């Protein structure tokens, strides 16, 4: 299995997570987020490149962990519980 998928999060200047996502091209994806009007200070890669399946599992778990610690609220820019 190819390990070409990157896990990342968008954070504000205080380090607060605003979005969790995955991509095979970090630079392109960061530009897409900025062009979509998302306001963030940094895109942070999380861990190493991995398989798409493992990255999707991480994304779902990261969003759920965020919700668990924020009274059920999603990160600011995630639209649903799975990132899809």
């Amino acid at each position: 299995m190819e390990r070409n998928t990157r896990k990342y999060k968008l954070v504000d200047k205080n380090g607060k997570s605003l979005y969790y996502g995955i991509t095979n091209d970090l630079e392109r994806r960061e530009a897409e987020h900025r062009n979509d009007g998302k306001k963030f200070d940094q895109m942070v890669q999380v861990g190493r490149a991995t398989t798409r399946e493992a990255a999707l599992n991480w994304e779902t778990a990261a969003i759920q962990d965020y919700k668990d610690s924020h009274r059920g609220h999603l990160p600011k820019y995630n639209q649903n519980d799975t990132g899809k």
Side-chain angles (χ1 to χ4, degrees), residues 2-7 48-52 54-55:
E2 246 186 302
R3 296 179 181 271
N4 62 353
T5 304
R6 310 272 180 189
K7 304 166 292 195
R48 299 179 182 177
T50 188
T51 64
R52 180 154 181 85

Side-chain angles (χ1 to χ4, degrees), residues 24-41:
N24 61 2
D25 185 335
L26 287 169
E27 289 180 11
R28 174 190 50 79
R29 191 67 179 121
E30 181 175 3
E32 288 173 351
H33 285 308
R34 293 197 187 279
N35 289 338
D36 288 345
K38 291 181 177 75
K39 304 290 185 205
F40 59 95
D41 291 288

Side-chain angles (χ1 to χ4, degrees), residues 14-73:
N14 299 314
K16 180 180 177 185
S17 297
L18 304 172
Y19 181 88
Y20 294 94
I22 64 172
T23 185
N24 61 2
D25 185 335
L26 287 169
E27 289 180 11
R28 174 190 50 79
R29 191 67 179 121
E30 181 175 3
E32 288 173 351
H33 285 308
R34 293 197 187 279
N35 289 338
D36 288 345
K38 291 181 177 75
K39 304 290 185 205
F40 59 95
D41 291 288
Q42 189 176 16
M43 179 184 225
V44 179
Q45 181 175 322
V46 178
R48 299 179 182 177
T50 188
T51 64
R52 180 154 181 85
E53 180 181 357
L56 286 167
N57 290 336
W58 169 86
E59 183 180 31
T60 299
I63 293 169
Q64 186 59 53
D65 288 347
Y66 182 96
K67 284 178 59 182
D68 290 347
S69 63
H70 291 84
R71 298 186 325 224
H73 296 283

